[in-house]
Amino acid sequence: MQDNNKVKEYDALVIGAGIAGGEAALNLANVGNRVLLIDKDLTVGGKMIMLSKVFPTLDCSACITTPKVSEIARHSLITTLTSTEASDIVQKDNGTFEALITTQPRYVHIEDCTGCQLCEEACPVNVEDEYQYGLVGRKAAFIPFSIASPRAAAIDIENCTLCGACERACPTNCIDFTQTVEKFMIECKTVIVATGFQLFDPTLIPRYGYGRFKNVITSMQMERQLAPTRPFNTVLRPSDGKIPDNIAYVLCTGSRDKTVGTPICSQVCCMYSTKQAQLLMGALPMADITLYFLHIRAFGKGFNEFYAQAQSMGVEYVKGKVAKITEKEDGNLILRYEDISTGKVTETEHDMVVLSVGILPNQGITGLFKNRKLELDQFNYISQSNPLESPATTSIKGVFVAGVASAPMDIPDSILSAGAASSEAANYIRQLSVKQVEV
Amino acid sequence: MKSKIGVYICHCGGNISDYVDVNKVRESVKEIQGVEISIDTMFACADSSQKQIAEDIANKKLDALVVASCSPKLHYPTFSAVAERGGLNKYNYVHANIREQVSWAHSDNKEGATEKAIKVVKSAIARVKESVPLEPIEVKAQKSIAVLGAGVAGMRAAKELADLGIQVYLIEREHFVGGRISQLDFLCGADITGKELVTQLYEKIHKHPNVTLFTGAEVIEKGGSIGNFKVKVKITPRYIKDECNPEQLQKAIDVCPVEVEDDFNFNITKRKAIYRNYDSEYPHFPTIDSKNCTRCGECEKVCSSIDFTQKEEIIDLTVGSILAATGFDPYQPKENEFGWGIENVVTLPQFRRIINMCDNKLIYKGKEIKDIAYIYCVGSRQVEGDNKYCSRYCCTATLYTSILTHKKYKGIHSFHFNRGIRTYGKQEVIYDEASRLGDIFLQSYEYDPPVVTKVNGKTNVKIEDLLTGGKEIEVNADLVVLVTGMEPRNDCSIGDVLKIPKGRDRFYNEIHMKLRPVETVIDGVTIAGACQGPKNIMESMNSALSAAAKSYSIVNKGELALEPIIAKVDKDTCVWCGKCAEACPFDAITKVNANGKEIAEINASVCKGCGMCLPVCESDSIDMDGFTNTEIESMINVLAEN
Ligand SMILES: Cc1cc2nc3c(=O)[nH]c(=O)nc-3n(C[C@H](O)[C@H](O)[C@H](O)COP(=O)(O)OP(=O)(O)OC[C@H]3O[C@@H](n4cnc5c(N)ncnc54)[C@H](O)[C@@H]3O)c2cc1C
Ligand code: SF4
Ligand code: SF4
């Protein structure tokens, strides 16, 4: 329980506990700074902890994320708060900050929860599981996923019927419906914004049929089907549970497309689709995989070789923008596109379609700051005020940006950008202690 | 001998349990003498499992721990930390790899995989029984860092570290700072030039009390280890006195009779043997290129700042960490490669120098240039050659260059012979802008690159164009620009001195591509910028600042705890034959006199525990802490059992 009356002091506030925020927090704490790391979600780890394997090394994502996550959880200088957001951030004349921290009730005492899942079993309510991107259901009393951190139950109060079954089932009495919103003030010397991204909502492109055609899914749903903590233990198509044998990927869904307001490339979808194609070749050796693309952005270290490897494994790459998807009675899908290499409009049938959805910036970050303006760039990412010399600096002195919050990027680039943010933040903290900073 | 061992077997969510019968493994080790508990877990590395293991150690008073999971490269540190949190000495923990070495390697044979997993776990149990607790070796860490290379990445890292209060030695091989960026006049997405960026950074480090800059200097030897590297730096003379007279120096340049190709301008111009690359270059005074200088003495006659008596110097430095930011080389096309050798075929870096030199009209070799053909991926994504990688920066850099030519000159037509434009991320808008300016894009098939020939005095580029369904298209160009990629430095001797491993692409390799992109397997040595792989400036800056953060975390406390896994000599049986000292790659072994007898002695802070000395010792006098003969033999015994 937080003591609400006392203002807590930290050296750094890190907003967002994805891989970027986590890395920045660790870097700062490892050189002696006290860090408050907050995430609005129920667990830390961001998107990365949900991925299957990562390109181009094909490391199991959960396996390489969990040690970081537990290092964060254990670090004596890092305080981690989930279900928590910051607001009303004010920069004072001496360059330091004040912020209001708000934690939503989880209705479970994290310290006492053993993660036994008895509440899950007892809960009668079934809803869509957002952590499995809607592929399966979950209860209203639930543990987000098996490697969540903290691995503690939470009550989804919106869907809870207050029947009390979970309370009765819990052996440690850690369920507490009297919990309320907690608010307290903190003071800190620097702020790192690592709020990451959201995924493009493909219902905005109705001609692809997402939401209407059952066998059209998103790449994040495919990530979950391929992850070690996967819901089905194999890859299934949603309409009839059949194992698909002819899967299509539609790249640049919601990216490089001015009609949906995103002119830029999302930088990761070519490679994650190539990765998924390789994983599918392993999981379903008989399946045909086709990627419909505009250009393959295989630019990073080891990427072009990874792309070549997929081609040599038999993944089909077709250059052409998919114009439209239609559904057949048996649930199969017809893709209509211009095949650039022949110049002809072509139609091809697949039994499952994965939309390689793009990356969008999270909204509302500017509103967290009160007396200073956190500028955004023309694409609504946090603007880097000196991208060539100090890529982590923002329009507010003492506020730094890390990871996808500033631009689409993959995991290694997020780590590098977090490294830059933490380096500059450490220096800012040092400057504050040795001299007055002009703000 | 340990008698209360905890054994944990991980499913790795299916990565292991899909192929190995984890229950069977658990059952077959639970009766082994000394095993107190054996438990299987979905993800041993998950925070909740770690907590459970630590609690078991404390509550059940375990005296040793085995976790059978993935590669120790990934999780050895994780579980040895768990052991410590539970109250065990971390050297009473043994890691068994049943993923990379078992489930993944034998995914076609589940029974065999299970058998092998059982053996691997049993041998780990045998070893942990014999394990002995060890204490880390505490050493002082120097609060100083050597940054190698004063390109933008090196200078940026130097500035950051210096601001954090670290003594920085910035060591640059050339006589000038700035590296490749000073050759770039315009930078994509910025309103300053490369030179201005170099100037900004130089001014920040130049007067910084914590930065010592060496130019014309190179690290030639590295000894010691993390916290206390001993480096030897060779400094070549500049032949110019520190207090020099700029006016006289200009005269000296004017009178020098030697003219050589100017490699700063990629050989499209000439320079003297006494030279500076451009007027505002740093440090501000020229140098004499000793390779081409004939010692005619003309310059000395007009300038009192010249000093031919300066000698090469070797200095010794001790630093806590080394940050290498030694950059890249632009790819040099081979004879006839895409018409290289034809007089109006140039590389992208050359073309950028040409643009810099032409104000109103674009003129090369006396002819005005209107039609420009860019050929992409030269030296990158090679079908035949070794460079399979994409150079990352060049699509964007070329399109940006093209846009610039439209802005600077009238009547330019650009033809982009590409292989699929890779303007990733926000750089997409540059592609868009070039397209709107009317640039023409042609794309070759993967195995059918464009052909450049000279016919009837015209330089012709021919392509089978994928974008028009395979039509053959020809363009007569006034200038062909080869978009050359990045290559690892040709002279990468520094990598050999530091022993940084290289990848298949020959760039320096990080320790983990995804999560530890700036650290190397050499403890205490970090890498930044394009020496690790192609990068643009912003990406290089991010990696420079990250490397600075990692190097800083090594030295900032002033002390370090080193692994106690080191070799030990049995004083009684050693007869000093010297073979171990010869075998040691780290020079950790010296001859000492102990009680009138010559024996080998191992320097604990230098020994890396590599084990090279063990097999060469004929009297079997060396043993390795943490991997003792007893431990290894116990493992072999189990593995050899039928
Ligand atoms: C389908 C898919 C597959 C991918 N595969 C790969 C791959 O194989 N390899 C690879 O390198 N990259 C891959 N990526 C990219 C990778 O996911 C990102 O590079 C990485 O996750 C970025 O990390 P981040 O920390 O910047 O953002 P995030 O992971 O989004 O983390 C941001 C965190 O901030 C929190 N947050 C947001 N706003 C607030 C707020 N106001 N207050 C508090 N907290 C907040 C969020 O809850 C979240 O936890 C893939 C991406 C997708 C979509
Ligand atoms: S990374 Fe590939 S799929 Fe994603 S937006 Fe860019 S070009 Fe399209
Ligand atoms: S960035 Fe473009 S030009 Fe450079 S190697 Fe990659 S694809 Fe080729």
Side-chain angles (χ1 to χ4, degrees):
Chain A
M1 275 270 129
Q2 298 286 349
D3 176 355
N4 292 4
N5 301 321
K6 202 168 146 252
V7 173
K8 295 194 181 287
E9 282 180 27
Y10 296 92
D11 293 311
L13 167 66
V14 179
I15 307 176
I19 191 64
E23 172 79 4
L26 278 172
N27 280 344
L28 282 170
N30 283 341
V31 292
N33 295 300
R34 292 157 306 156
V35 181
L36 177 64
L37 173 64
I38 61 168
D39 202 295
K40 65 177 178 190
D41 205 345
L42 292 169
T43 162
V44 305
K47 302 286 186 309
M48 183 179 170
I49 203 164
M50 307 304 298
L51 301 178
S52 55
K53 297 196 173 178
V54 290
F55 62 76
T57 55
L58 292 183
D59 282 312
C60 152
S61 190
C63 311
I64 61 174
T65 322
T66 46
K68 283 254 174 208
V69 164
S70 89
E71 205 182 330
I72 293 163
R74 283 197 322 265
H75 206 294
S76 58
L77 292 177
I78 303 178
T79 308
T80 310
L81 295 176
T82 48
S83 314
T84 299
E85 285 179 80
S87 60
D88 300 282
I89 305 174
V90 170
Q91 184 163 42
K92 297 195 281 189
D93 291 342
N94 64 2
T96 65
F97 297 87
E98 244 172 32
L100 175 66
I101 304 294
T102 307
T103 302
Q104 297 301 327
R106 192 181 180 112
Y107 303 108
V108 171
H109 292 289
I110 294 176
E111 322 78 68
D112 300 332
C113 174
T114 62
C116 68
Q117 291 175 293
L118 290 175
C119 55
E120 265 185 28
E121 268 168 43
C123 176
V125 180
N126 259 311
V127 291
E128 244 182 36
D129 185 352
E130 65 272 41
Y131 292 97
Q132 303 292 354
Y133 289 81
L135 287 171
V136 287
R138 63 154 172 83
K139 299 297 184 67
F142 70 111
I143 290 179
F145 48 92
S146 65
I147 49 173
S149 175
R151 188 172 181 277
I155 310 290
D156 165 5
I157 206 73
E158 308 244 298
N159 291 302
C160 168
T161 59
L162 296 178
C163 70
C166 54
E167 247 181 321
R168 290 188 294 276
C170 177
T172 60
N173 291 325
C174 63
I175 295 176
D176 176 2
F177 283 103
T178 69
Q179 275 187 0
T180 50
V181 176
E182 278 178 36
K183 285 180 191 276
F184 62 99
M185 293 299 294
I186 65 153
E187 279 179 3
C188 61
K189 296 183 179 134
T190 179
V191 179
I192 291 183
V193 180
T195 44
F197 62 102
Q198 44 177 326
L199 293 165
F200 174 73
D201 171 8
T203 58
L204 295 174
I205 307 181
R207 51 183 206 283
Y208 286 171
Y210 182 79
R212 283 184 296 133
F213 307 154
K214 282 195 169 144
N215 295 331
V216 177
I217 66 168
T218 66
S219 46
M220 204 61 201
Q221 290 176 318
M222 184 55 97
E223 284 292 328
R224 295 309 306 150
Q225 291 217 31
L226 291 164
T229 47
R230 53 192 176 266
F232 310 136
N233 216 21
T234 179
V235 178
L236 302 175
R237 69 173 200 171
S239 72
D240 49 11
K242 175 181 137 222
I243 293 183
D245 57 23
N246 189 1
I247 304 170
Y249 276 81
V250 179
L251 272 63
C252 300
T253 303
S255 311
R256 308 179 65 190
D257 185 346
K258 288 184 195 156
T259 64
V260 295
T262 308
I264 61 173
C265 154
S266 291
Q267 200 158 319
V268 294
C269 12
C270 279
M271 291 320 287
Y272 76 55
S273 305
T274 297
K275 163 192 80 182
Q276 292 188 359
Q278 291 196 19
L279 296 176
L280 282 168
M281 294 292 239
L284 314 172
M286 302 309 289
D288 293 323
I289 321 285
T290 311
L291 269 65
Y292 296 91
F293 70 97
L294 299 180
H295 300 89
I296 292 294
R297 262 83 203 250
F299 58 87
K301 188 160 176 166
F303 291 8
N304 205 50
E305 296 88 328
F306 192 67
Y307 168 40
Q309 177 174 308
Q311 286 173 307
S312 69
M313 286 167 79
V315 177
E316 187 90 36
Y317 284 83
V318 175
K319 188 171 167 76
K321 173 105 183 150
V322 173
K324 192 177 176 187
I325 299 175
T326 42
E327 188 181 37
K328 283 185 33 181
E329 236 161 57
D330 60 1
N332 283 3
L333 302 147
I334 311 274
L335 271 61
R336 188 180 165 84
Y337 58 96
E338 186 196 7
D339 185 338
I340 301 290
S341 69
T342 61
K344 293 206 174 69
V345 174
T346 312
E347 294 200 337
T348 307
E349 183 169 334
H350 293 274
D351 58 5
M352 189 164 167
V353 172
V354 182
L355 302 178
S356 296
V357 287
I359 279 179
L360 293 174
N362 267 321
Q363 306 288 320
I365 315 297
T366 306
L368 309 183
F369 293 84
K370 229 171 144 184
N371 67 337
R372 302 260 184 275
K373 184 152 190 326
L374 188 70
E375 304 277 356
L376 302 180
D377 68 10
Q378 62 185 119
F379 313 111
N380 288 326
Y381 287 95
I382 291 167
S383 173
Q384 298 163 283
S385 61
N386 187 2
L388 289 190
E389 220 188 308
S390 291
T393 48
T394 66
S395 57
I396 307 177
K397 206 166 181 183
V399 175
F400 302 95
V401 59
V404 182
S406 69
M409 62 181 90
D410 64 358
I411 294 160
D413 282 343
S414 298
I415 293 272
L416 292 179
S417 127
S422 55
S423 214
E424 299 224 39
N427 241 324
Y428 186 78
I429 295 169
R430 190 182 143 89
Q431 278 178 46
L432 285 184
S433 63
V434 294
K435 59 170 192 256
Q436 286 273 307
V437 176
E438 267 174 53
V439 289
Chain B
M1 182 89 88
K2 301 297 169 199
S3 57
K4 293 188 84 164
I5 304 166
V7 182
Y8 295 82
I9 305 154
C10 184
H11 290 245
C12 195
N15 278 309
I16 294 171
S17 54
D18 282 354
Y19 312 106
V20 168
D21 183 343
V22 171
N23 291 335
K24 193 166 168 196
V25 179
R26 188 197 61 229
E27 285 304 306
S28 55
V29 301
K30 84 168 189 226
E31 304 293 340
I32 296 177
Q33 202 196 350
V35 173
E36 180 79 7
I37 44 170
S38 63
I39 291 175
D40 62 300
T41 127
M42 185 51 75
F43 277 108
C45 57
D47 204 41
S48 51
S49 314
Q50 291 193 28
K51 236 195 233 152
Q52 187 62 48
I53 301 175
E55 279 168 16
D56 287 352
I57 296 171
N59 298 341
K60 305 205 161 78
K61 305 213 161 27
L62 302 180
D63 61 4
L65 175 68
V66 170
V67 179
S69 56
C70 49
S71 160
K73 263 173 94 175
L74 202 59
H75 277 325
Y76 176 78
T78 312
F79 297 118
S80 46
V82 174
E84 281 191 320
R85 269 179 288 138
L88 275 183
N89 181 286
K90 68 176 182 183
Y91 299 95
N92 291 131
Y93 163 64
V94 169
H95 193 101
N97 179 355
I98 57 166
R99 193 178 78 177
E100 280 80 351
Q101 287 178 357
V102 181
S103 68
W104 283 356
H106 305 290
S107 51
D108 55 337
N109 177 358
K110 294 189 185 178
E111 258 171 49
T114 306
E115 286 293 296
K116 182 169 168 187
I118 292 170
K119 287 224 154 175
V120 170
V121 179
K122 280 185 173 170
S123 69
I125 294 169
R127 179 173 157 212
V128 90
K129 278 188 192 171
E130 305 291 345
S131 63
V132 268
L134 300 171
E135 291 307 324
I137 302 165
E138 306 277 348
V139 295
K140 285 237 167 314
Q142 297 289 330
K143 282 203 172 193
S144 58
I145 293 174
V147 176
L148 314 186
V152 285
M155 284 201 281
R156 186 66 184 85
K159 183 214 170 245
E160 200 67 16
L161 289 166
D163 285 348
L164 284 164
I166 301 297
Q167 176 61 49
V168 180
Y169 301 105
L170 180 56
I171 301 167
E172 168 58 49
R173 183 159 63 189
E174 301 296 322
H175 281 282
F176 304 99
V177 304
R180 298 283 175 204
I181 299 301
S182 49
Q183 290 167 306
L184 302 178
D185 296 286
F186 41 88
L187 304 176
C188 177
D191 40 21
I192 57 170
T193 66
K195 285 178 189 147
E196 281 163 350
L197 179 62
V198 169
T199 306
Q200 281 178 17
L201 286 168
Y202 182 76
E203 274 165 4
K204 284 174 189 150
I205 56 164
H206 174 51
K207 294 211 178 80
H208 205 298
N210 292 343
V211 181
T212 315
L213 171 69
F214 300 98
T215 52
E218 200 173 358
V219 171
I220 50 167
E221 239 180 86
K222 182 205 80 175
S225 55
I226 181 168
N228 290 285
F229 289 111
K230 309 249 183 282
V231 294
K232 264 195 197 329
V233 183
K234 183 175 88 181
I235 305 173
T236 55
R238 187 176 204 102
Y239 302 117
I240 310 285
K241 287 179 194 152
D242 277 352
E243 286 96 45
C244 61
N245 178 330
E247 273 159 44
Q248 287 184 353
L249 275 166
Q250 190 51 52
K251 278 194 199 129
I253 295 176
D254 295 342
V255 299
C256 174
V258 179
E259 278 213 333
V260 294
E261 303 264 24
D262 183 355
D263 47 8
F264 183 80
N265 281 337
F266 299 102
N267 301 351
I268 51 182
T269 54
K270 305 255 186 237
R271 68 156 164 80
K272 299 295 183 67
I274 172 170
Y275 72 103
R276 64 162 86 86
N277 291 319
Y278 57 95
D279 287 346
S280 58
E281 192 164 42
Y282 295 100
H284 255 332
F285 32 96
T287 183
I288 292 175
D289 156 12
S290 58
K291 247 187 258 144
N292 291 303
C293 167
T294 58
R295 294 293 159 98
C296 66
E298 289 297 326
C299 54
E300 251 182 321
K301 287 184 201 152
V302 296
C303 175
S304 58
S305 309
I306 310 267
D307 177 5
F308 279 114
T309 66
Q310 288 182 357
K311 292 258 147 25
E312 185 176 294
E313 254 184 283
I314 305 273
I315 59 163
D316 293 300
L317 300 172
T318 310
V319 293
S321 170
I322 299 173
L323 189 159
T326 50
F328 68 99
D329 275 337
Y331 176 77
Q332 184 54 37
K334 309 269 172 315
E335 196 59 40
N336 292 328
E337 187 176 2
F338 297 107
W340 185 246
I342 300 175
E343 79 280 356
N344 56 349
V345 177
V346 298
T347 65
L348 181 66
Q350 284 180 327
F351 185 47
R352 296 182 67 139
R353 303 300 309 151
I354 296 168
I355 296 176
N356 180 241
M357 290 170 211
C358 300
D359 276 338
N360 300 317
K361 279 186 179 166
L362 185 58
I363 294 177
Y364 182 59
K365 296 206 167 148
K367 284 198 197 122
E368 188 172 0
I369 308 293
K370 294 274 185 199
D371 298 340
I372 306 169
Y374 296 93
I375 300 186
Y376 284 62
C377 305
V378 176
S380 315
R381 303 176 63 185
Q382 289 177 323
V383 176
E384 311 245 292
D386 291 333
N387 296 352
K388 301 294 178 205
Y389 57 87
C390 160
S391 287
R392 185 167 186 155
Y393 85 102
C394 21
C395 278
T396 305
T398 308
L399 292 170
Y400 189 72
T401 307
S402 169
I403 293 170
L404 218 100
T405 57
H406 291 298
K407 288 192 181 147
K408 202 165 168 183
Y409 317 109
K410 286 204 188 75
I412 297 285
H413 304 283
S414 298
F415 301 88
H416 300 270
F417 292 84
N418 68 86
R419 291 182 55 196
I421 295 287
R422 291 184 171 171
T423 39
Y424 55 93
K426 295 182 197 169
Q427 300 172 90
E428 193 71 37
V429 293
I430 293 171
Y431 185 15
D432 198 51
E433 188 179 346
S435 308
R436 272 188 286 117
L437 284 168
D439 279 13
I440 292 174
F441 291 85
L442 308 104
Q443 186 174 339
S444 58
Y445 288 88
E446 208 59 17
Y447 296 99
D448 208 358
V451 179
V452 184
T453 46
K454 180 126 201 189
V455 266
N456 303 332
K458 296 225 153 98
T459 306
N460 174 286
V461 186
K462 193 155 56 178
I463 188 177
E464 203 182 311
D465 177 36
L466 184 147
L467 302 178
T468 47
K471 283 210 182 75
E472 200 175 275
I473 298 179
E474 284 180 46
V475 172
N476 283 333
D478 300 326
L479 190 73
V480 175
V481 178
L482 304 186
V483 177
T484 45
M486 289 186 181
E487 277 201 309
R489 285 258 179 206
N490 215 344
D491 176 359
C492 56
S493 50
I494 187 64
D496 302 335
V497 171
L498 300 178
K499 302 200 169 73
I500 310 175
K502 298 189 195 93
R504 241 185 301 173
D505 53 14
R506 305 183 326 287
F507 287 97
Y508 294 143
N509 247 5
E510 61 291 314
I511 200 162
H512 190 280
M513 204 194 267
K514 298 309 283 189
L515 293 183
R516 296 170 73 186
V518 297
E519 294 157 88
T520 70
V521 290
I522 311 297
D523 281 341
V525 176
T526 57
I527 46 178
C531 70
Q532 183 259 354
K535 283 182 191 60
N536 65 24
I537 300 176
M538 190 180 86
E539 292 157 353
S540 294
M541 290 301 192
N542 273 333
S543 92
L545 290 167
S546 294
K550 296 294 174 195
S551 281
Y552 176 64
S553 71
I554 293 166
V555 303
N556 90 307
K557 286 198 202 85
E559 55 190 42
L560 277 172
L562 300 183
E563 277 288 328
I565 299 181
I566 53 171
K568 284 247 165 81
V569 176
D570 183 334
K571 292 189 177 121
D572 298 331
T573 56
C574 172
V575 292
W576 180 257
C577 63
K579 288 206 173 123
C580 54
E582 270 168 42
C584 177
F586 303 100
D587 298 329
I589 307 182
T590 45
K591 178 168 73 178
V592 293
N593 214 308
N595 303 331
K597 187 180 146 196
E598 286 187 333
I599 59 165
E601 188 180 73
I602 295 171
N603 180 340
S605 69
V606 182
C607 174
K608 290 258 159 224
C610 71
M612 295 297 277
C613 55
L614 269 81
V616 300
C617 177
E618 284 172 7
S619 62
D620 212 1
S621 302
I622 309 183
D623 207 356
M624 181 76 70
D625 277 351
F627 290 88
T628 59
N629 288 342
T630 323
E631 285 173 57
I632 303 298
E633 280 158 15
S634 72
M635 294 175 83
I636 295 173
N637 286 342
V638 169
L639 292 170
E641 257 168 31
N642 240 332

